[in-house]
Amino acid sequence: MDALKEASLDNDEVREILKNTTDLRQYSRQIEKEFKDVENKSIEDYIAESQNIANLHNQINDCDEVLERMENMLMSFQSVLNNISTEITQLQRKSVSMSLQLTNRQSVKAQLSQFIEDMAVSEEMINIIMDTPVTEREFSTQLNVLNHKLSLVKELSFKESKSTSDVSDVLHKLRLKAMSKIRSYLLEQIYKFRKPMTNYQISQNAMLKHKFFFEFILSNERHVAQEICSEYIDTMGKIYYSYFKSYSTRLSSLKFEESCTKDDLMGIEDNASKGLFSKTTSLKHKSTIFTIGKRGDILNQQLEAPIIVPHAQLKNRYTPEALFRSEQYALVDNACREYLFVTEFFMVRNTQAQDLFNQIMGKTLTLMIKNLETSIHDCYDTIAMFLCIHLIFRYQLMCHKRCVPALDKYWDSLQAVIWPRFEYVFRLNIQSIHDCDPTKFNKEMGPHYITRRYAEFSAAIVGISEHFPNELVSRLLLELQNEVECFILRMAAIFATRKDQLIYLINNYDLVLGVLMEHTRDNSKEAEAFREQLNARSAEYVDEILAPHFGGIIQFVKEGEQYVEKDQADELRKQERRSLALVASFSANWKKSLEELNREVLLSFPSLLTGSQLLQLALASLVQYYHRFHKLLTPNARAQLTNIHVVMVEIKKYKSNY
């Protein structure tokens, strides 16, 4: 663009020259002259300034020299800095290397110091192991140190470490000395158990305080540990066997002199006239054989009561389950303590702990099982055996709460002894009821003594088994219940009239139900079954006692309601003459009939509550029949009928306060 502009200007200038008709040659010479003048002036100016230019040239040369020297100096500095950087890098590498070496040396020093400390045997340790009694705290402390050194030497010996040779001899001698002292101490404690009247629990507690002693022996000399363990097993096994053998023998002398026999079954007649526990040494009275009374407390309040001390209770006598409880609770207490001791002191668990426990207690447990087999062989006290079974359940649960499963097989063995005998005697009682001959009993409409025995016995068994139900027991109870129901029906059949039969049935059913509800839950199967029987027989009895007094009205109501159902109103009106006779009879005799009903019912039932309930049931039934009779009457007969309110006022006089 600039070139175009210059060309344009030249063209304009050329045009101007041509326009002015100027001669170009002349104009060129003029221009050259002007150039020459300018050149001359420039030369003059240059000559005038030549000195300055020369000086400037010299200055520039000087500057070049200075800059060259500075360049050389900077290059030198650069070289020096490069050397310094290299040295710094080298120093940094040396520093890292030295730091690593220092760390390694410190680590080695610490390990070496610890190793030397672990390997070195101090004079203090030697003196304490050699001279200090094992019961002192210093001995236990140094024994731990010695055990650590022995473990370390044993480990290094496999690596063929030369350092072990310097101390192995000293440590070996200290080990022998320590083991000798510990062995003597532990055997001494075990031998203390053998002294008469010794409380071995004190020695056991002392051994537990130094349980590391056995750990030390076990890790260093197993045959010595086995010797101590065997000595303990032998000693404690004999102690427990002797104690429980003596204790069982002494307890057996506290049982009642007379015990139940096969002649004391539920269905066998009781000719004795003794009162409850009339002799303090007898439990043979049948009213106590089938009644639990306070014997059930043994499963609750007395479960963990102090054991019976035979020499302090020589004048007292106890039931079989009380003696069984005392013996088993003594076993539970001792066995649990023993199991926990052996697991902690001898450091055994699971199968090993069970085996060790069996070696100690096995003979004693076998003795107690045999004693039970002997004592139960002739036992006919079913409640006592059932209480013993439930004592087993509770003591087994107690052992589990104490984390002691060692007695599980023992409890199973006891149950295996008791259950067959329990079932056998239970079935003997059932059979005894089946074999009863109703004709040999007196015709008494009150509750039969066999029914009373069954009620008390069934309530006892049901009450005991509430927390630990059992299928066999439920089956036996059902068989017994069916047999008793059959017996009650057979006994009722000996009475001539149906009313007497119903009175007998109600008295017996009411007795059973009352006893069951007193000792068991209201919704038990046994209570429900007898409640149904009682309700059915009560309703039938009400009809029986109302019939002599109000039978005509009842019959009229039943027939009249049938006419109504069949829409035979004409037939019902034809009965007006009959209804008028019934109204007249009722009006003349109803008060007297109520009195006779009241007297008859209350005299027929020994239980005032039962009699009162039946009377109220009869009166309620009478009121219902009266209302139904009133609806069926013609207006003429209805007008002559005694007002219902008058009847209700009279009935309220017989309302019981029971």
Side-chain angles (χ1 to χ4, degrees), residues 125 128-129 137-148 150 174 178-179 182 212-213 216:
M125 185 179 75
I128 291 176
I129 294 296
R137 180 178 297 179
E138 291 82 0
F139 181 85
S140 297
T141 303
Q142 294 301 325
L143 186 66
N144 276 281
V145 176
L146 175 61
N147 189 56
H148 175 70
L150 289 170
L174 287 176
M179 287 180 53
I182 292 172
F212 178 70
F213 289 173
F216 177 81

Side-chain angles (χ1 to χ4, degrees), residues 597-634:
L597 275 176
N598 178 62
R599 182 173 61 257
E600 179 183 359
V601 171
L602 295 182
L603 289 176
S604 299
F605 300 96
S607 170
L608 294 177
L609 178 60
T610 303
S612 175
Q613 290 175 344
L614 286 170
L615 178 61
Q616 297 305 313
L617 185 62
L619 295 176
S621 180
L622 173 61
V623 171
Q624 290 178 357
Y625 278 118
Y626 194 80
H627 278 291
R628 292 157 65 185
F629 180 62
H630 183 271
K631 291 180 181 179
L632 297 172
L633 295 176
T634 61

Side-chain angles (χ1 to χ4, degrees), residues 382-395:
T382 317
I383 292 180
M385 288 187 285
F386 200 52
L387 286 171
C388 290
I389 290 172
H390 280 264
L391 282 171
I392 292 172
F393 292 154
R394 284 160 173 77
Y395 284 137

Side-chain angles (χ1 to χ4, degrees), residues 134 139 143 175-188 210 212-217 224 228:
V134 296
F139 181 85
L143 186 66
R175 179 177 67 86
L176 293 177
K177 181 63 177 178
M179 287 180 53
S180 175
K181 294 173 69 174
I182 292 172
R183 175 182 175 277
S184 299
Y185 170 76
L186 294 178
L187 291 178
E188 179 185 354
H210 303 97
F212 178 70
F213 289 173
F214 185 79
E215 181 180 351
F216 177 81
I217 292 179
V224 177
I228 294 172

